[in-house]
Amino acid sequence: MTVSRALRRPDMVSAKLHDRIQAAVRELAYVPDVAASRLASNRTHTIGVIVSSLTNGVFADYINALHDNLLPAGYQVLILSTRYSAEEEEKAIGTLLGQHPEAIIIVGVDQSPHARHLLERSGVPVVQTFQLTDDPIDINVGLDQREAAYAATKALLDLGHRKIGVIASKLDARARARLEGYGRAMHEAGLYDEKWLATTPQQTAVIAGGQLLGEMIERGDRPEAVFCCDDLLALGVLFECQRRGIAVPEEMSIIGFNNLEFAACAYPALATVVTPRYEMGRLAAEIVRKIIESGELPSDNRIDVGFSLELRGSVRRPQ
Amino acid sequence: MTVSRALRRPDMVSAKLHDRIQAAVRELAYVPDVAASRLASNRTHTIGVIVSSLTNGVFADYINALHDNLLPAGYQVLILSTRYSAEEEEKAIGTLLGQHPEAIIIVGVDQSPHARHLLERSGVPVVQTFQLTDDPIDINVGLDQREAAYAATKALLDLGHRKIGVIASKLDARARARLEGYGRAMHEAGLYDEKWLATTPQQTAVIAGGQLLGEMIERGDRPEAVFCCDDLLALGVLFECQRRGIAVPEEMSIIGFNNLEFAACAYPALATVVTPRYEMGRLAAEIVRKIIESGELPSDNRIDVGFSLELRGSVRRPQ
DNA sequence: CGGCGATATGACAGCGCTGTCAATTGGTCC
DNA sequence: GGACCAATTGACAGCGCTGTCATATCGCCG
C-alpha cells in the first residue's frame, strides 16, 4: 500500500521513503499494471470515443479537440471506428464497455436498438455528437444537419439557380440527413425532381463526386448547380467540371459541406457549410469532465452548436 | 466459470446452456471486464499502434489494414497518435506499455533515445513501419523514403526539367528523408540550389503547398517542376498554379508523394509516388500474429515493401 | 520525560475474471 | 439395472492493485 501511495500521491509519503521506493522502481523497471489498478480502484481514467471513420478528415478537428481537452486532464482517449457500419458500431461499443470507460463520446444519434440498449444499460454517461436529436441517451451536442443542408440549397436557389443537383454518399447518416434538407428546400420551391439526385451506397470519396456528376449529366439534363453532401464529393465535382470543360462558377455552382481544410484554398475556392467540429469536440470533452467530477448529468442535455454558410468562388455572384 | 467458457469457447458447452447464457447476456447488457480478464489470464489481446497523426490520410489505409487483419483474429487495436511530437510519442509509449499490449506497431524508425529504451526494455515485440532502418528494435517493415524521393526527382530530371523545386513540411520524419532524396538527385545532376527549397516547420496541409510555391516564385525564379513531399502539398501547388494562371503540366510539372485518394482524380491527375500502405499494415499485422503465436521473432527482421512511380497528367510528356 | 495529536506506514480484503481440478450428468453396453 | 466413460458443469483460489482502518512513529508541549 505504501508503494502504491508513494507512486500516486508522493506528498503523502516521507521524502526518505519516497526516494527508496523510486530507486527500487528504477532498479526493477517496475510499471504499474493498469488492469489491476482498474480492478481495485474502479477508475479507468479512460474516455471512449466512437467515430464513423478514422480516415475522413471530418473527424480530424473533432478528435484533436478531444485530445486537447482530455489528455491534459489525465484521461486516456480510446478511439474506435465503426467504419460506417451498424454492426461494427455494436462491436465497438461492446469492446469499449469492456474497458469500462468513464464516459463515451459517440458520433451520431442513430445507433441501432441493440447499440442503444448497451449504452443505456451501461451506466456510463454518453455524449452523442454531430447531429441533433429530441431523444438523446444522455447528452447531445450537435447541429441540425437537415437545416444546414436546407440553408445551403436555399442559398443556391437565392442565387437564381433552378436546376440544382445533389450528390451524396448514402453510407453516412449525416449525409442522409442532408439529403432530406435538400429535398425539403427543393420541394418548397416546387423544383424537386429525382433526376437531380445522384447517390452512391459506397463510402464518400473524391472520385465518387466526379462519377456521380458524370452519371447525372449523362442521364440527360445538366444541372446549373450542385449541392454536395460533403467537401470530398465537392472536390470531385470541381475536378470533373474542369475535366469536362464546364466553367465553375459561370456554368456550374458548387457548394460542399463541412469546410474541410482544402475547401478554402481550392481554385475556385469551394463554397461550403461550415460546421464547428473542433468546438463540438471541445464542448463534448468539457461536458464529460464536468459529469465525471460532479457525478451527475447537467440539466441542459442538448446543445446546438449551429453552422454557417461560406459562399466562396465556386458559386456564382448574385444576379 | 461456465459462463466464462460459454462466451469464449461456445463449443465446450451444451447448445441449450449456451442459448440460455446468450439470452441473459443480452438481457443484462453484460460485457466482460477486460481488466479482470487480463489480470486472471495474463493475456490482453491488445495490439498497440502508434501513428504520427490520426488526421492525415496517409495513415488511413494502413490503419484499415491493421483493423482488417487484427480485429477478426480477436485482437483489440489500441491506436495512439503522437501528432508528430517526440514528447507525445514518449508519453504514448508509456501509456501503451501500461496496458501490456502483446505487440506494438509504430510508425517511423527515429524514436527518441528514451522512447527506444522504453520499447527495448519492455519485452514487447515492436514492429517499426513506413521507413527502413539498418538497426530495427525488433522488426522493420517499410520502404526507403529517400530512394523513393530520389526516383521521383530523377523522373522529373529525365523529363528534361532543370529548375526543379521541392516543397516539404519539416515536421514529418518521412518528409525530411524525402527532402534528402531530392537533394541527392539534384546534387548528382549538378542542379542543386537552395533557391529551389521551400519548407515549413508546420504540419502539412493543402494550403501550405500553395503558400510555399508562392514564396518560391516571389523569391525570384520560377521552377518548371516541383517535387512535393506529400500529395496534400501537391494539391495545394496545383490550385496555386491554377490561381496564378500557370498551366499544368505545360508550364509546371507537379509530382506528389503517397498516392492519396484524390491524386488520381484531380485534374490534371497528380503524378505521385505510390507507397503500399495497406500492404505495409497487412504485413505488420501478419508478423505480429506470427510472433504472438510462436513466441519468437522471425529471422527476417527487415522487409522492404518498395514503391512505384505513377506519372500522371500533372507532369509533362517526355520531349 | 510522559502524553497527546498529527503524520506516516502497514495489514487485509476484495475488485471480476480464468485455470485447475473435482463433481455431476448423460449415454452406452452388457 | 448397474458399470463405465465421455461430456458438461461447477467450486475455489489467486492475478496485482487500492480503500479502509488499524498501528507505528514523530514532533511538540507542559
Side-chain angles (χ1 to χ4, degrees):
Chain A
M1 189 56 229
T2 302
V3 172
S4 175
R5 245 186 318 245
L7 296 178
R8 289 178 304 150
R9 303 280 311 273
D11 54 303
M12 287 181 73
V13 166
S14 70
K16 196 178 129 195
L17 223 205
H18 182 248
D19 290 348
R20 263 182 69 207
I21 289 175
Q22 281 298 342
V25 162
R26 196 155 317 140
E27 164 84 14
L28 301 169
Y30 169 83
V31 177
D33 184 324
V34 291
S37 167
R38 134 87 189 98
L39 204 55
S41 71
N42 212 29
R43 286 272 272 149
T44 58
H45 301 279
T46 295
I47 308 294
V49 175
I50 295 182
V51 296
S52 309
S53 161
L54 282 171
T55 68
N56 189 325
V58 176
F59 302 111
D61 304 319
Y62 174 72
I63 290 174
N64 277 333
L66 294 174
H67 276 160
D68 289 348
N69 290 281
L70 291 173
L71 297 185
Y75 292 104
Q76 201 212 135
V77 178
L78 177 51
I79 302 178
L80 296 180
S81 161
T82 71
R83 297 199 268 182
Y84 295 106
S85 143
E87 197 188 336
E88 281 204 50
E89 179 163 67
E90 287 181 7
K91 247 188 243 166
I93 291 171
T95 303
L96 208 50
L97 290 178
Q99 308 277 345
H100 287 256
E102 301 192 8
I104 291 178
I105 300 174
I106 188 168
V107 166
V109 297
D110 298 317
Q111 283 76 33
S112 73
H114 182 231
R116 191 175 171 115
H117 179 237
L118 277 177
L119 290 172
E120 283 172 341
R121 283 296 300 264
S122 70
V124 176
V126 175
V127 181
Q128 293 163 292
T129 58
F130 273 77
Q131 295 176 261
L132 284 179
T133 174
D134 293 330
D135 180 28
I137 295 174
D138 291 316
I139 306 293
N140 181 204
V141 181
L143 60 109
D144 192 325
Q145 303 274 346
R146 209 176 315 132
E147 206 57 43
Y150 177 83
T153 312
K154 205 75 189 343
L156 292 175
L157 288 164
D158 291 348
L159 289 172
H161 292 300
R162 287 295 167 265
K163 301 175 175 182
I164 304 174
V166 65
I167 284 177
S169 152
K170 281 189 168 172
L171 215 72
D172 184 326
R174 267 73 58 204
R176 290 198 302 271
R178 290 169 209 152
L179 213 44
E180 287 176 34
Y182 159 88
R184 211 185 80 212
M186 292 296 278
H187 271 121
E188 282 183 8
L191 294 169
Y192 185 87
D193 191 322
E194 287 213 343
K195 73 179 173 185
W196 300 130
L197 258 62
T199 65
T200 171
Q202 302 193 315
Q203 206 166 310
T204 189
V206 178
I207 195 164
Q211 286 169 345
L212 290 170
L213 179 69
E215 284 172 23
M216 197 189 296
I217 290 176
E218 265 133 45
R219 271 204 310 263
D221 227 342
R222 189 216 274 182
E224 54 193 35
V226 283
F227 166 52
C228 301
C229 286
D230 67 71
D231 283 341
L232 290 180
L233 296 171
L235 182 61
V237 166
L238 174 60
F239 285 140
E240 188 65 22
C241 287
Q242 295 178 349
R243 187 167 289 117
R244 289 172 180 261
I246 301 170
V248 177
E250 293 76 12
E251 299 174 81
M252 175 83 78
S253 286
I254 303 173
I255 186 164
F257 204 104
N258 274 325
N259 193 30
L260 294 189
E261 195 261 327
F262 59 78
C265 42
Y267 183 78
L270 283 169
T272 193
V273 178
V274 181
T275 54
R277 301 184 301 282
Y278 189 94
E279 175 65 6
M280 207 150 49
R282 195 190 63 73
L283 274 170
E286 193 179 277
I287 288 168
V288 152
R289 287 174 53 185
K290 257 188 214 142
I291 293 174
I292 294 173
E293 268 166 39
S294 71
E296 54 190 34
L297 297 175
S299 53
D300 184 11
N301 71 341
R302 190 164 173 276
I303 297 177
D304 185 346
V305 295
F307 62 88
S308 63
L309 284 184
E310 191 78 54
L311 296 181
R312 303 197 180 104
S314 69
V315 294
R316 73 175 180 199
R317 294 301 176 85
Q319 309 282 299
Chain B
M1 189 58 228
T2 303
V3 172
S4 176
R5 244 187 318 248
L7 296 178
R8 290 178 303 150
R9 304 281 311 273
D11 54 304
M12 288 181 73
V13 302
S14 68
K16 196 178 129 195
L17 223 204
H18 182 247
D19 290 349
R20 262 181 71 208
I21 289 175
Q22 281 299 342
V25 162
R26 272 189 96 82
E27 162 81 16
L28 300 170
Y30 168 83
V31 178
D33 184 324
V34 291
S37 168
R38 136 92 185 92
L39 204 54
S41 70
N42 211 29
R43 288 269 273 147
T44 58
H45 300 280
T46 295
I47 308 294
V49 175
I50 296 182
V51 296
S52 310
S53 162
L54 282 172
T55 67
N56 188 326
V58 175
F59 302 111
D61 304 319
Y62 174 72
I63 291 174
N64 277 333
L66 293 175
H67 277 159
D68 289 348
N69 290 281
L70 291 173
L71 297 184
Y75 291 104
Q76 202 214 134
V77 179
L78 178 50
I79 300 179
L80 296 181
S81 161
T82 70
R83 297 198 270 182
Y84 296 105
S85 143
E87 196 189 336
E88 282 205 49
E89 181 163 63
E90 288 180 6
K91 245 187 244 165
I93 291 171
T95 304
L96 210 50
L97 289 179
Q99 308 278 340
H100 289 257
E102 302 191 9
I104 291 178
I105 299 173
I106 189 167
V107 166
V109 296
D110 300 318
Q111 283 77 33
S112 72
H114 180 52
R116 190 173 172 117
H117 181 245
L118 276 177
L119 291 172
E120 281 172 343
R121 289 296 299 268
S122 69
V124 177
V126 175
V127 181
Q128 292 163 293
T129 58
F130 273 77
Q131 296 176 259
L132 284 180
T133 174
D134 293 329
D135 181 29
I137 295 175
D138 291 317
I139 305 293
N140 181 204
V141 181
L143 59 110
D144 192 326
Q145 303 274 345
R146 210 175 314 134
E147 206 56 43
Y150 177 84
T153 311
K154 206 75 188 344
L156 292 176
L157 286 164
D158 290 348
L159 288 172
H161 292 302
R162 287 296 168 262
K163 302 176 176 180
I164 304 175
V166 65
I167 284 177
S169 152
K170 282 191 169 170
L171 214 72
D172 185 327
R174 265 74 56 206
R176 290 198 302 269
R178 290 168 208 153
L179 214 43
E180 289 176 31
Y182 160 87
R184 211 184 80 211
M186 292 296 278
H187 270 121
E188 283 183 8
L191 293 170
Y192 186 85
D193 191 324
E194 285 214 342
K195 73 180 174 186
W196 300 132
L197 259 63
T199 65
T200 171
Q202 303 192 315
Q203 206 167 310
T204 189
V206 178
I207 195 165
Q211 287 170 345
L212 290 170
L213 178 68
E215 284 172 23
M216 197 189 297
I217 290 175
E218 266 134 44
R219 271 204 310 262
D221 227 342
R222 189 216 274 183
E224 54 192 38
V226 283
F227 166 52
C228 301
C229 286
D230 67 71
D231 284 342
L232 290 179
L233 296 171
L235 182 61
V237 165
L238 174 60
F239 285 140
E240 188 65 20
C241 287
Q242 295 177 349
R243 188 167 288 118
R244 289 171 180 260
I246 301 171
V248 176
E250 292 77 11
E251 300 174 79
M252 175 83 77
S253 286
I254 303 173
I255 187 165
F257 204 104
N258 274 326
N259 193 29
L260 293 189
E261 196 261 325
F262 58 78
C265 43
Y267 183 77
L270 284 169
T272 193
V273 177
V274 181
T275 54
R277 301 184 300 282
Y278 189 94
E279 175 64 5
M280 207 152 47
R282 195 189 63 71
L283 273 170
E286 195 179 275
I287 289 169
V288 152
R289 286 173 56 186
K290 258 189 214 141
I291 293 174
I292 294 172
E293 269 166 40
S294 71
E296 55 191 34
L297 298 174
S299 53
D300 186 11
N301 71 342
R302 190 164 174 276
I303 297 177
D304 184 348
V305 296
F307 62 88
S308 63
L309 284 184
E310 191 77 57
L311 296 181
R312 304 196 180 105
S314 68
V315 293
R316 74 174 178 199
R317 293 302 175 86
Q319 307 285 296

